[in-house]
Amino acid sequence: MKQKQPERKSTNPKTRRNRQIVGIILLTTVLLFFGLVVFRFFYITVSGQVDGVNLAAKTRRIYTQETVLKAKRGTIYASNGDVIAEDSSVYTIFAVINHRNVDLKGKPLYVTNVDKTAQVLSQYLSLSADQIKNYLQPTSKKINQVEFGPAGKNIDLATKNKIADAKLPGIFFRAQPARLYPNGTFASHVIGIAQLKDPSKEETDQNGQLTGVMGIEKQFNAMLTGVNGRQQVQTDLYGYELPQSKVITKKAKDGDNMTLTIDSRLQNNLETLMQGVQDKYQPLGMNAILMNAKTGAILAASQRPTFDASTKKGMAAMWRDTLVEDAYEPGSVMKVLSMAAVVDSGHYNPNATYQSGAVTLDGSTIRDWNYSGWGTIPFNQVLPRSSNVGMVHLEELMGKATWQKYLNRFHMGEKTGISLPGEVSGSYQFKQAVDQANTSFGQAINVTAMQMMQAFSAVANGGKMMQPQIVSRVTNPNTGKTKKYRPHQVGTPITAATAANVLDQMRTVVNNKEIGTGMAYQIPGVDLAVKTGTAQIADPKGGGYLTGNNNYLFSVVGMAPASNPQYILYITMKQPQKMTAPAETILASIFKPLMTRVISYGKTGSAATTDTVSMPDVTNQSTAEAKAALANVGLNPAIIGSGTKVVQQLPRTGTKLLSGQRAVLLTNGAALMPNVTGWSKNDILKLAEITGIHVSFTGSGYAIAQSVAANSVITTASTVTVTLKPR
C-alpha cells in the first residue's frame, strides 16, 4: 500500500516579508555604491583632481625631468685684470663597499681591492694607508658606502683628476660649488669669502648658491649672486627623452663681475712685506693701506692677523676687517690734521715760541715724549719733533669751537661710506679742556684706519678730501652693461695753501737730522712728506694706559712725491711681542720698499690703470695672424706648442682685459713648456688650465724659476713647480 507523504507547511508570511526588506536594502546599497563610483569617476574626469591633487600636473611631473642650470657667481678682478675670486668646484670622495653594487653587465661598482685602494688614496689624502683601510672595512656589514672624514672633503680638481686616473673600482666623487681664491692670503678680510648658505648641507647641496659672509663678497652679495635657471624635458618611465618632446628652458642669469681698485702686484708685495714683519716681530696687530691721493682709490690694503682665503687657515684668529671695524687712538699722526686746522684757521705763527716738556690742564699734566723737553722752541718744530705740549698750546689758540669745527670738516666720528661691511664711525671726547687738548695729538679720539686715509687725502690733495674707494666698476655679463664708480670728493676742509704748508712741515720730519723723527723713512731720490706716531694703549682692565716699551700703537703716514702727492701710505703696528729693533726700523721695512715700488709704477703709468680692451677671437687663426690681432689691441701673446694654428685661447673671446695683459694661445702642435720667468701666478694658472698640466707654487709674486725646462714637451700628466718672488 502506498504511504502517504506528509503535507508541506506554507512559508511564514512574516519571514517572507523580512527577506524582501533585506533584499531591497542590499539592492539599494549596491546601487548607491555603484552610483558613487560612477559619480567619482565622472568628477575625476571633469575636474582632473583627486583629493586636491591635479592629476595632469602630477603625471607631467612623473614624466618630466627638470635640471637646474647653475648660475655663475660673479668674478672679482684686481685693477690689473688678475682674478681675485671666481667660481669653482671642490669634491668629496666616497667609497662604495657593499658587494651588491654592480652595473647592468655585472661589473663591480664597489671597492674590490682594499689594500691597493688604501695605498693609492694615501698618496693624495692626509691619511695613512692603515687609516684608509679602517674606513673601507667598517664593523657593520650593512653599510653601503663610506667617506673619509675631513681629509676626503674639499678636494681640488687637480687632486680629484689624479685619483680618478688611477681607475679604482668603487671610488666616486661628489661635486660641491665652491669659491676659488687663487692668491691665497690677499687682502683677505677686504675681499672676504663666500660659502654655501647652509654649511650643514654642504655634502648634499650641489645646486646651492654661495653667499658672501665677509668683505666685498658680503657687501655686494646681491650683485655677485646669479639666478639659477632650469630645463624641463619629457621622459619615459626609464628617464629617456621622448621623441619630439618640448624642451622648456629658463636660462640662468650669472652674477655681476666686479673690478676693484686693488693692484694685485702691489697687494702681493704688501702681503709679503707684512708677513715678514709678522713672523719676525710678532705684533698683536697691523694695518696698512696704500691709496691714490687724487682719486681715493685703494691700491693695496692688508691687516694682521689675517688668513689664507683659499684654505681658510688662520680665519679663527681674526674675523673682523680691522681697517673699518676697529676704532683706536691714532697717536701723533693725528697732528697732521690738527696742524692743518691751526694753519687753516689762521692761528699758526711758526716763529712764536713755547716752553716744551710739560703743560698742566684741569689738574692733569701732559708731557712730551721727551719728558725733559727741548727748552723754549718755535712752533715750527711742533710737527718735526712731534711735541704734544706744542700741539696743546696750538689747540688752545684755536679754541674749542674752532677745533671741533675742523674735526667735523675732517669727518671725524663719521663713517667714510666705503663699500665694505661693518664700518664703525669712531668717536671723540670733548667735554673737558684736557680731552680737547688730548684729541689734538691723537688721544681721547677713536678713529678707523680708513677714516684717517680719507682725512689725510685733504692734505695730500690740495685741500680736497676724497672718499676711499675699493670698487672700480661692475659689469653685468648678461647685458654687457657696466657701472663705473667715479672718484667722490666728500669735502674741502682746508685750502690748498694750508695743505702745501703742512706738507712742507712733514718734509722736515723726514729730512731734518736735528729735529725730525722720521729719518728712518728716507728714500734716496724721493721727495717724501712723513709723520710718525706712537700712541699709548688703554689698559683693558681700566685705570689709564699700559706701560712698557712695546705697549704702544706705532704708526707712520707718508705722502709722495711731497711736491704733488700721488700716493698715501699709512701703516700701524700694535704691541710687537719681539721688539728687537726700533719701531721706525720695523715699519720702514714695509714703508720704504712699497713706496719705492708704487712710485716706480707711477713713472711708467702702470699702477691701477682701468683702461680695458676686449679679447679678440683668434681661434683657428695662424699664429702670425693671432699675434697681430693681439698686438692691435695691446695684448701680450704667449704661444704654447710647436704648431702654426691656434686651437685654444685664454682668456676667452670678449673677456675684458687691461692693455698689456698676457693671453695664452695653444697651437695644434706638441705642447711645449714656455719660459714663464716674469709671469704672474694668474698667467701660469691660465697655462695650467689650457694645457691640463699640474702646477704647484712656492713663494708669492712673479715667476723666477720652473722645474720643467722651457721647450720641453708637456702633457696632462706633467707636473711643474714654479718659484715665485715679489718684484
Side-chain angles (χ1 to χ4, degrees):
M1 182 175 178
K2 188 176 180 180
Q3 190 176 358
K4 188 178 179 179
Q5 296 290 334
E7 186 178 340
R8 177 182 286 182
K9 295 182 179 181
S10 62
T11 305
N12 189 312
K14 186 176 181 179
T15 301
R16 188 183 303 114
R17 186 168 58 254
N18 289 340
R19 289 175 178 172
Q20 289 174 345
I21 292 171
V22 171
I24 291 170
I25 292 173
L26 288 173
L27 179 61
T28 302
T29 301
V30 171
L31 290 174
L32 286 173
F33 173 77
F34 279 105
L36 288 173
V37 171
V38 171
F39 177 78
R40 178 72 166 166
F41 276 115
F42 178 76
Y43 172 79
I44 292 172
T45 303
V46 173
S47 68
Q49 293 186 350
V50 175
D51 298 329
V53 177
N54 188 302
L55 295 177
K58 187 171 183 178
T59 302
R60 283 196 300 271
R61 285 196 296 271
I62 293 174
Y63 292 98
T64 299
Q65 185 181 81
E66 182 168 295
T67 304
V68 174
L69 303 179
K70 194 79 170 60
K72 180 183 177 184
R73 186 175 177 86
T75 300
I76 301 176
Y77 297 94
S79 66
N80 56 316
D82 287 351
V83 172
I84 297 176
E86 63 182 342
D87 267 8
S88 182
S89 292
V90 293
Y91 301 86
T92 295
I93 185 172
F94 63 95
V96 175
I97 58 176
N98 193 311
H99 287 208
R100 289 177 296 181
N101 292 278
V102 295
D103 63 13
L104 295 176
K105 296 181 180 180
K107 183 179 178 181
L109 298 176
Y110 55 85
V111 175
T112 57
N113 188 327
V114 172
D115 290 337
K116 178 183 177 182
T117 302
Q119 185 61 40
V120 173
L121 293 184
S122 67
Q123 299 174 34
Y124 303 103
L125 307 182
S126 57
L127 294 170
S128 67
D130 288 339
Q131 288 174 315
I132 294 173
K133 284 182 183 179
N134 289 335
Y135 280 107
L136 296 175
Q137 297 173 320
T139 55
S140 174
K141 301 297 183 181
K142 297 180 180 180
I143 296 176
N144 186 61
Q145 64 186 49
V146 295
E147 295 184 1
F148 300 92
K153 297 178 180 179
N154 298 318
I155 296 173
D156 59 35
L157 178 61
T159 303
K160 180 253 185 188
N161 287 339
K162 289 178 181 178
I163 296 173
D165 289 343
K167 297 180 180 179
L168 300 171
I171 297 299
F172 301 95
F173 299 88
R174 181 169 52 249
Q176 301 157 202
R179 196 69 162 158
L180 177 65
Y181 300 94
N183 299 294
T185 302
F186 182 96
S188 299
H189 287 84
V190 172
I191 307 304
I193 58 171
Q195 61 188 24
L196 289 174
K197 291 181 181 179
D198 187 354
S200 65
K201 297 180 180 179
E202 184 176 351
E203 296 181 8
T204 58
D205 190 1
Q206 298 181 34
N207 295 319
Q209 290 183 312
L210 300 171
T211 299
V213 295
M214 184 193 293
I216 291 290
E217 293 273 28
K218 179 179 180 180
Q219 184 75 8
F220 291 91
N221 185 65
M223 287 184 177
L224 290 164
T225 300
V227 179
N228 287 343
R230 68 176 187 273
Q231 185 177 77
Q232 291 181 344
V233 62
Q234 301 299 309
T235 62
D236 60 19
L237 286 173
Y238 300 99
Y240 294 105
E241 183 178 344
L242 294 173
Q244 299 180 344
S245 63
K246 183 179 180 181
V247 178
I248 301 174
T249 302
K250 182 180 180 181
K251 292 183 178 180
K253 294 182 179 179
D254 292 338
D256 292 346
N257 297 323
M258 304 190 70
T259 299
L260 306 186
T261 58
I262 289 176
D263 185 302
S264 65
R265 297 160 294 188
L266 296 172
Q267 183 66 42
N268 280 320
N269 194 12
L270 175 60
E271 297 290 1
T272 301
L273 295 169
M274 289 189 70
Q275 193 57 47
V277 168
Q278 182 69 36
D279 294 341
K280 188 172 183 179
Y281 302 103
Q282 298 179 11
L284 297 186
M286 280 197 298
N287 286 334
I289 306 174
L290 176 67
M291 187 171 84
N292 183 313
K294 303 302 183 186
T295 66
I298 304 299
L299 306 179
S302 189
Q303 70 177 64
R304 292 296 182 277
T306 188
F307 64 94
D308 185 323
S310 62
T311 64
K312 309 300 186 294
K313 183 179 180 181
M315 185 179 293
M318 177 63 70
W319 184 262
R320 300 185 313 280
D321 179 355
T322 58
L323 301 177
V324 295
E325 294 185 64
D326 278 13
Y328 58 92
E329 292 181 306
S332 290
V333 290
M334 186 71 187
K335 291 171 184 169
V336 172
L337 307 182
S338 47
M339 180 59 77
V342 173
V343 174
D344 200 70
S345 62
H347 294 89
Y348 180 62
N349 181 350
N351 298 317
T353 61
Y354 71 98
Q355 180 62 38
S356 64
V359 62
T360 301
L361 284 176
D362 292 341
S364 298
T365 300
I366 297 173
R367 298 184 180 277
D368 282 321
W369 61 269
N370 176 9
Y371 270 33
S372 60
W374 304 275
T376 300
I377 58 174
F379 281 107
N380 62 15
Q381 293 187 17
V382 169
L383 208 65
R385 291 191 185 274
S386 197
S387 171
N388 293 343
V389 173
M391 195 55 71
V392 169
H393 287 307
L394 290 173
E395 185 275 330
E396 286 183 310
L397 289 173
M398 279 193 293
K400 173 183 177 181
T402 299
W403 177 217
Q404 188 166 27
K405 177 181 72 174
Y406 278 93
L407 285 173
N408 293 336
R409 283 187 177 184
F410 282 117
H411 292 191
M412 293 294 106
E414 299 178 28
K415 298 177 182 179
T416 67
I418 190 173
S419 302
L420 290 171
E423 184 180 20
V424 299
S425 58
S427 62
Y428 56 84
Q429 301 174 41
F430 223 68
K431 291 183 179 180
Q432 300 178 1
V434 67
D435 292 331
Q436 299 157 28
N438 285 340
T439 59
S440 70
F441 57 86
Q443 305 284 168
I445 182 170
N446 288 304
V447 302
T448 67
M450 208 59 73
Q451 270 182 328
M452 294 300 285
M453 293 302 291
Q454 178 172 273
F456 288 146
S457 72
V459 176
N461 194 32
K464 299 175 182 178
M465 190 163 70
M466 306 303 295
Q467 181 185 48
Q469 178 184 345
I470 195 73
V471 178
S472 173
R473 62 183 179 275
V474 176
T475 301
N476 185 319
N478 308 295
T479 64
K481 292 183 179 179
T482 296
K483 176 184 178 182
K484 294 186 177 181
Y485 288 74
R486 303 294 184 185
H488 178 50
Q489 183 179 338
V490 293
T492 310
I494 57 176
T495 65
T498 295
N501 184 305
V502 175
L503 285 169
D504 278 341
Q505 294 188 58
M506 292 173 69
R507 274 193 178 104
T508 308
V509 172
V510 71
N511 291 322
N512 192 309
K513 293 181 181 180
E514 302 299 325
I515 61 175
T517 59
M519 295 293 294
Y521 300 99
Q522 282 188 343
I523 301 174
V526 177
D527 181 19
L528 278 175
V530 167
K531 182 68 190 82
T532 60
T534 305
Q536 291 179 293
I537 298 174
D539 189 337
K541 298 179 181 178
Y545 291 94
L546 296 174
T547 59
N549 291 335
N550 69 326
N551 281 326
Y552 292 92
L553 180 82
F554 303 101
S555 60
V556 62
V557 60
M559 304 173 188
S563 58
N564 182 23
Q566 303 296 311
Y567 307 106
I568 306 171
L569 176 57
Y570 177 44
I571 308 171
T572 68
M573 176 180 65
K574 181 180 179 181
Q575 294 172 283
Q577 299 302 290
K578 292 185 177 181
M579 197 168 177
T580 55
E584 58 269 24
T585 301
I586 299 173
L587 292 179
S589 68
I590 299 173
F591 181 95
K592 292 170 68 174
L594 186 62
M595 187 65 91
T596 299
R597 187 172 188 186
V598 73
I599 290 173
S600 69
Y601 274 4
K603 291 177 181 178
T604 60
S606 61
T609 178
T610 56
D611 294 332
T612 60
V613 296
S614 183
M615 177 68 184
D617 184 0
V618 296
T619 306
N620 295 322
Q621 293 185 10
S622 68
T623 54
E625 292 171 336
K627 286 181 178 180
L630 294 179
N632 285 338
V633 296
L635 295 176
N636 181 18
I639 306 298
I640 311 299
S642 57
T644 58
K645 183 180 179 181
V646 176
V647 294
Q648 264 186 280
Q649 65 179 62
L650 276 179
R652 293 174 177 82
T653 303
T655 302
K656 297 298 182 182
L657 305 170
L658 292 174
S659 180
Q661 199 169 336
R662 183 174 281 104
V664 180
L665 309 179
L666 184 66
T667 70
N668 56 346
L672 303 178
M673 182 68 191
N675 182 350
V676 298
T677 301
W679 287 31
S680 69
K681 183 176 182 180
N682 189 57
D683 288 337
I684 298 168
L685 289 174
K686 292 177 191 173
L687 171 67
E689 182 179 347
I690 204 168
T691 61
I693 64 172
H694 308 294
V695 179
S696 61
F697 298 93
T698 60
S700 62
Y702 294 80
I704 60 169
Q706 58 194 73
S707 62
V708 176
N711 295 319
S712 299
V713 175
I714 51 177
T715 67
T716 55
S718 300
T719 299
V720 181
T721 300
V722 179
T723 303
L724 306 176
K725 185 178 180 181
R727 284 178 176 170

